[in-house]
Amino acid sequence: MIPSDVKATLSFSDGSPSMELPIYKGTIGPDVVDIRKLYAQTGRFTYDPGFLSTAACQSNITYIDGDKGELLYRGYPIEQLATNCDFLETCYLLLYGELPNPQQKGDFVKLVTRHTMVNEQMQFFLRGFRRDAHPMAVMTGLVGALSAFYHDSTDINNPQHREISAIRLIAKMPTLVAMAYKYGVGQPYIYPKNDLSYSANFMRMMFATPCEEYEPNDVLVRAIDRIFILHADHEQNASTSTVRLCGSSGTNPFAAIAAGVACLWGPAHGGANEAALNMLEDVQRMGGVEKIGEFIKQVKDKNSGIKLMGFGHRVYKNYDPRAKLMRETCHEVLDALGKTNDPILKLAMELEKIALEDEYFVARKLYPNVDFYSGIVQRAIGIPVSLFTAIFALARTVGWIAQLNEMIGDPEYKIGRPRQLYNGAAKRDVKPIGQRA
Ligand code: ACO
C-alpha cells in the first residue's frame, strides 16, 4: 500500500486524546483511512452496516468507477474485453493478472477442457433432489459437495490445491449447471464434448439430447460467452465478500465458493436477472407498454414494496457499462433468431426510456444494471428463467476464486471478524421458570 502525505486526525468531544490515522493511496479510486489501530488506541469501533464506506481488503483484480460507469478487469476496460477476448482468456486474466499469449491460451484451454467431466457419483447425489427444486438450491448443494469428491484439492493453504481447485471449478460449473437443468426437465445428462469451445460445450450440454445433436449457433454462443465475461468479476460485491469471509476461516475452496453461490441467489444480487424478467412478464400480462405508467407509479410508491428490478446499483450511479454491452447483444441475438418484434424487448426498451427521464429515478441516479437485458437474451436463447442465476454463478466462479486466492496470498490476511454495536439486554440473572412473567 502506498502511504499518502495526508493524514487524518480523529478527535473526540469528550476530551479523549485525538488519534492520527494513516491514509493509503491505490492506483486509482478513493484513498483509504487506516483504522486498524482505532480499537486498540481508543476502545471504540467504527460503525458501517452494509459497508457503505469500508474497504474490507486491498485488491489488484477489478476496479469500478461507479460515477463514470467504468469497469476494469486487471486494468482492461470491460468493453475491450467483451469485444476482443473470449471467456477463457478473461478467466486467465482474472486468475493470473495478464492476458494470455497464444501458447498460454492454448495450454489453459486444454487444461480447463480436460477437467469438464464430473465424478460419475455426482449424478446420484443430484438424484436426491426433487425434480422441481430451484436450480440455485441444487447448485449450492452440488458445489458444496465437490469437496467430498475432490479430496486432493481441499487445502486452501496449499498453492497447488488452490490452482487445481480453481481449474476444476471453472471447468465443472457448466457441466453442473447443465446437469441441474436436465434433471429438472427429466432428460438424460449430456456429457461434455472436448472439441467444442467452453461456451459452445455448455450450450450443447444444455440443449442436445441423446436422440438429437445440437448445432451451436455462433451468434448465440458468442452471446453466452459475453454474458460469462460481463459477469466474471465485480470486485467486493456481496457474494465475493461472502467467499472471502468464508474462505478466511481456512475452509476448503469448494465450500467457500458454495457460500458465494448461496449469497448470489438473493433477488438484490444475482437473483435480480430472474426477478427482472418475471417483472417484465408481469407488466406484459397487465397490458404491456400501455401499462408502464401505472407500473412506474407503483414502483415509486414506497408502500407497494415493488422495485424496478434490473435498475439501481450500490456502486454504479451511472449507466452500468455491462448493461450497454448486454443491450447490444440482446439486439444481435433477437436479430439472429428473427425475434426483433419480441414484445418483452419492446417493453424493456420503453420502460428504460421512461425510467431514465423520470424525476424519481434521475434524482436517485438509478440506471439499468446488467440484469435488465441479460434475462431477455437468455430467454431468447431458450434458457428457462429459473436457471438465470445459476448461469451468473457459473460466470462469477472465476472471480470468486481469483479473489479468494488473492486473499490467501495477501500477507495481511486475517480471519474476517466484524465487530458490533451491542444494543441488547445488559447482564441479568436467569429466574426459575415458575418466576418468569
Ligand atoms: N426501484 C425503485 N427504487 C429503487 C430501486 C429500484 N430498483 N433501487 C433503489 N431504489 C430507491 C430506494 O428505494 C431508495 O430510495 P429512497 O432514497 O427514497 O429511500 C434509493 O433508491 C436508494 O436505494 P438503496 O436501496 O438505498 O440503494 P442500495 O445501494 O442499498 O441498493 C440495490 C442497491 C440493492 C441494487 C437496489 O438498487 C435494488 O434493489 N435494485 C433492484 C434489484 C437489482 O436489480 N439488483 C441487481 C444489482 S446488480 C447485480 O447484482 C448483478
Side-chain angles (χ1 to χ4, degrees), residues 116 118 126 135 138-139 142 171-192 198-208 228 383-384 387 390-391 394:
T116 47
V118 295
L126 183 53
V138 174
M139 286 308 293
L142 288 183
K172 293 182 199 308
M173 281 300 272
T175 315
L176 294 179
V177 173
M179 282 172 80
Y181 169 63
K182 290 292 194 190
Y183 183 73
V185 292
Q187 288 183 8
Y189 308 125
I190 300 296
Y191 286 98
Y198 186 88
S199 298
N201 187 29
F202 171 63
M203 291 185 71
R204 183 179 166 275
M205 286 191 287
M206 287 282 298
F207 299 122
F228 293 166
I383 294 168
L387 210 72
I391 287 175
L394 181 174

Side-chain angles (χ1 to χ4, degrees), residues 52 231 234 237 264 266-273 275-276 299-300 302 306-317 320 322 360-361 364-366 369-372 392 396:
L52 296 179
H231 288 84
H234 214 226
N237 56 85
L264 188 74
H269 192 12
N273 51 18
V299 169
K300 294 192 314 195
K302 290 275 175 225
I306 297 175
K307 275 189 171 177
L308 183 52
M309 300 311 285
F311 256 69
H313 199 276
R314 169 61 59 80
V315 182
Y316 293 118
K317 300 302 167 197
D320 178 344
R322 302 167 303 169
Y360 174 95
F361 296 91
R364 289 170 180 77
K365 299 191 177 162
L366 299 171
N369 59 51
V370 64
D371 293 324
F372 195 66
F392 188 164
R396 181 57 57 85

Side-chain angles (χ1 to χ4, degrees), residues 411-433:
E412 301 205 348
Y413 137 69
K414 282 187 175 354
I415 184 168
R417 177 57 171 92
R419 308 306 291 255
Q420 64 170 5
L421 176 66
Y422 178 68
N423 287 324
K427 189 175 174 189
R428 51 186 173 159
D429 293 321
V430 174
K431 288 185 187 155
I433 191 159

Side-chain angles (χ1 to χ4, degrees), residues 46-56 236-238 241 314-315 418-419:
T46 54
Y47 179 64
D48 186 18
F51 296 93
L52 296 179
S53 300
T54 297
Q236 309 311 320
N237 56 85
S241 300
R314 169 61 59 80
V315 182
R419 308 306 291 255

Side-chain angles (χ1 to χ4, degrees), residues 13-32:
S13 59
D14 64 358
S16 315
S18 61
M19 181 186 174
E20 202 162 83
L21 298 162
I23 295 184
Y24 298 108
K25 290 185 151 318
T27 330
I28 31 176
D31 299 348
V32 297

Side-chain angles (χ1 to χ4, degrees), residues 132-151:
D132 61 355
H134 192 283
M136 283 302 276
V138 174
M139 286 308 293
T140 311
L142 288 183
V143 175
L146 288 174
S147 49
F149 289 94
Y150 299 101
H151 291 150

